[in-house]
Amino acid sequence: MDMIRELHGTHVLICAENGPPLASERDANDFLGAAWAAEATMVAIPVARLDPAFFQLATRLAGDVAQKFVNYRIRLAIVGDISPQCAQSKALRDFVHESNQGQALWFVRDIAALDARLTG
């Protein structure tokens, strides 16, 4: 079950491990709608909810989803271990590194790591 938590002044919609996958840009609308309903300014989506195409940058899914979240001014955190996917793709490693330098999209290992990022 999804839940809302306030982490260092940020209302975060933490999505459950189970639920519909994020498999297309259109699916992002469901996550954004849930964020608006909960008055969240950030959505934390577990890796388990992401279609494998998200990690294949040639599909443009990750970039399109990230842009949609930016357009609606909702921050996005991808939560979970993506080291297997990063080990297979230098482009993905670079994308993750660059994303983590900004404020719109972060890749974090767990909610504790997200909490720590939001403190500073």
Side-chain angles (χ1 to χ4, degrees), residues 18-24 27-28 30-31 45 48-52:
N18 305 350
L22 177 58
S24 70
D27 294 336
D30 295 332
F31 292 93
I45 302 175
R49 297 276 297 269
L50 301 176
D51 187 275

Side-chain angles (χ1 to χ4, degrees), residues 17 44-48 50 55 77-85 106-111 113:
E17 292 275 328
I45 302 175
V47 170
L50 301 176
F55 299 104
I78 303 302
V79 181
D81 181 16
I82 61 167
S83 57
Q85 293 91 335
W106 290 341
F107 292 83
V108 295
R109 186 175 259 328
D110 52 32
I111 295 299

Side-chain angles (χ1 to χ4, degrees), residues 69-110:
F69 274 81
V70 167
N71 290 348
Y72 289 100
R73 295 186 176 96
I74 302 286
R75 296 166 67 192
L76 176 60
I78 303 302
V79 181
D81 181 16
I82 61 167
S83 57
Q85 293 91 335
C86 286
Q88 296 177 10
S89 171
K90 180 181 182 325
L92 179 61
R93 282 192 307 274
D94 292 344
F95 179 73
V96 168
H97 177 77
E98 288 299 318
S99 296
N100 283 341
Q101 300 305 306
Q103 294 296 316
L105 170 61
W106 290 341
F107 292 83
V108 295
R109 186 175 259 328
D110 52 32

Side-chain angles (χ1 to χ4, degrees), residues 8-37:
H8 301 283
T10 302
H11 286 82
V12 181
L13 173 65
I14 301 172
C15 298
E17 292 275 328
N18 305 350
L22 177 58
S24 70
E25 181 185 355
R26 186 174 306 153
D27 294 336
N29 295 336
D30 295 332
F31 292 93
L32 288 165
W36 291 323

